[in-house]
Amino acid sequence: MLLFNREIQTTGDLPAIMPLVQEFVGIAKSVGVPLQAWLGSNGCVAGSMAFSANYESLAARADATAKLMAAKGWWETARKFREYAVSSEPDNIYTYVRGGTTGVEIPVGTVIQRNYFQMGTAGGDFLEVINWMNEFAELTKSISGVDSNIIVSTYGALGRIGMFAGYANAAQVDEARAKLSANAEWFPKFIEGGKFAMPGSVMQQHIVKIA
């Protein structure tokens, strides 16, 4: 299972941008493409947005791209949106090594907490990193009751590894954080992962589904 992710820095003019975001997602759904839109929140640059979709394969992604390019209104909306786009990151495609599914409708307002880092050259082998992340995800789930997805970059910046989990709202994030902070095992396990990361590359952010 693959996760396609495109991140764009916008002007942050949401009253002008949101109707265009709704158009993008509506057009995509009309041709069977599972596009989702997200707004950057805690830990993100103000005005940052992302568009994402899960695909079974690269062939499915290529098929979806062809449908979008041929869809009525797609290019017109893209031209309008460009007025509010300041910059964009290279597209990234990640492979799920834990979790990942298609056909699941994520409710608008869902908060995703994502943690990711760039694997360091002296951080051990790939399987060792994945084993640690799975152990950390299992421990986090046993304490908070919330499971996590684990992804590794396949296209884009290689060596990037991430873990993310969904919450209905910020109050649920606070509840989970309180449980994790009160557990004596959790923080040492979190710190253990530092040896795998390139210094300065560890990020923890929230994004919120807006369409």
Side-chain angles (χ1 to χ4, degrees):
M1 180 69 64
L2 303 175
L3 170 65
F4 167 81
N5 194 62
R6 173 173 294 170
E7 301 203 8
I8 300 171
Q9 181 62 43
T10 75
T11 60
D13 187 354
L14 291 182
I17 293 171
M18 276 303 299
L20 300 175
V21 171
Q22 295 286 358
E23 285 187 44
F24 275 134
V25 174
I27 292 169
K29 287 184 176 179
S30 74
V31 295
V33 177
L35 187 66
Q36 302 183 88
W38 306 85
L39 183 66
S41 181
N42 301 320
C44 297
V45 177
S48 59
M49 299 184 69
F51 293 93
S52 68
N54 283 353
Y55 297 105
E56 291 284 358
S57 63
L58 290 175
R61 154 87 177 134
D63 182 60
T65 300
K67 289 178 180 178
L68 291 176
M69 289 185 173
K72 181 179 179 181
W74 181 261
W75 290 111
E76 181 181 356
T77 305
R79 293 185 192 100
K80 292 177 182 177
F81 185 82
R82 197 171 294 124
E83 177 182 347
Y84 305 100
V86 177
S87 62
S88 61
E89 297 291 324
D91 290 347
N92 284 286
I93 295 179
Y94 299 91
T95 298
Y96 284 91
V97 294
R98 180 188 177 98
T101 185
T102 59
V104 175
E105 184 65 30
I106 299 174
V108 169
T110 296
V111 179
I112 298 293
Q113 178 163 303
R114 61 183 188 180
N115 301 67
Y116 59 88
F117 60 85
Q118 192 72 26
M119 189 172 168
T121 55
D125 65 36
F126 177 74
L127 289 179
E128 187 180 2
V129 179
I130 296 302
N131 286 338
W132 168 77
M133 290 203 80
N134 270 304
E135 290 173 0
F136 182 57
E138 283 294 332
L139 178 61
T140 299
K141 180 182 177 181
S142 70
I143 300 167
S144 69
V146 179
D147 203 358
S148 300
N149 297 272
I150 297 174
I151 53 176
V152 296
S153 57
T154 305
Y155 293 93
L158 298 182
R160 183 176 291 177
I161 300 177
M163 172 175 155
F164 64 91
Y167 300 84
N169 49 48
Q172 283 195 358
V173 178
D174 283 336
E175 182 182 347
R177 281 170 47 81
K179 290 178 181 178
L180 296 173
S181 297
N183 186 280
E185 296 180 61
W186 186 83
F187 192 66
K189 192 64 178 179
F190 173 77
I191 292 298
E192 182 185 321
K195 64 184 179 182
F196 302 120
M198 185 179 294
S201 72
V202 181
M203 295 292 293
Q204 179 165 278
Q205 299 172 321
H206 288 153
I207 57 174
V208 181
K209 186 176 179 184
I210 55 175

